[in-house]
Structures are given as structure tokens and as C-alpha cells.
Amino acid sequence: WVRAPFGSVWKAAQNGCGARTGTGTSTVVLRLADVDVEGRVATSGLREVGLSADDRAKYALSPGDLLVFRVNGSPQIAGRVIAYSGPAGFAFCDHFIRIRLPEDGAVPGFVARAVSQGDAR
């Protein structure tokens, strides 16, 4: 095991998409209600927003990304981190922060659990 500051583990962080409507390609934009703290993603009732090609690329989720619950009315949920397992190409709303880990770096599920606990959270 190696102890490392969190900032040295990730390669990019991005706040989510604030668009609620738009023109462009219809894209699923995950909301807080679409993801639970165990990382399960809803399969129905998902919101789609028209996003430009640039915004689709900017906000696209990939399996292994970490999603931080940035805001929520519940102190038990705000600050939690999950490892996103898919599908690829969904976008995420501005209530989340996406953290992308290097492909050859830490195991996403381990990092998500580690930083969702105690003082790390």
C-alpha cells in the first residue's frame, strides 16, 4: 500500500452540467434521484437534455469515474463518493463533481469507499 494525497491520485475533476433544457443531441443527464449512494443508476425515469457535441464530451461519464454528491439536503449523503459503473456516455448534473482517475492508477471502488468515510469525507 502507498499513502498518497488525494490530489495526486486523480487526473481531472469537473463540475456537472447545469443545463435543464437545450438543443443538440438528446443525452441522459443523471440527477441526484437517479443514483444511490451504492452507485446503482436508475433504469427508468431518466431526464434527457439536448447537449452540443462539446458539452456531451465535457460531461460524459465513463465506467470507473468517481461521482461526488456535491449538494443534497441530507448530511448523510452530501460528500459521499461512488464509483460509476456505467453506462458510458451519460452526462451528470451540477449536483455532482466527476473525478477521473488515471487508467493505471487506483481502483475506483476502493478510492470511492476510502474517501466516503470519516475524516476523509
Side-chain angles (χ1 to χ4, degrees), residues 23-99:
T23 58
T25 303
S26 185
T27 305
V28 171
V29 178
L30 294 178
R31 302 164 292 176
L32 290 172
D34 300 329
V35 182
D36 70 18
V37 294
E38 298 302 320
R40 291 181 294 263
V41 176
T43 57
S44 63
L46 299 171
R47 178 182 65 186
E48 294 189 20
V49 176
L51 296 179
S52 68
D54 287 345
D55 281 346
R56 285 173 52 90
K58 181 177 182 178
Y59 300 113
L61 288 166
S62 297
D65 285 343
L66 303 181
L67 279 178
V68 180
F69 289 75
R70 188 173 69 83
V71 295
N72 186 288
S74 169
Q76 289 77 28
I77 296 175
R80 295 285 298 259
V81 181
I82 59 137
Y84 181 72
S85 59
F90 280 9
F92 59 106
C93 81
D94 55 356
H95 294 148
F96 294 107
I97 300 169
R98 179 192 62 216
I99 296 175

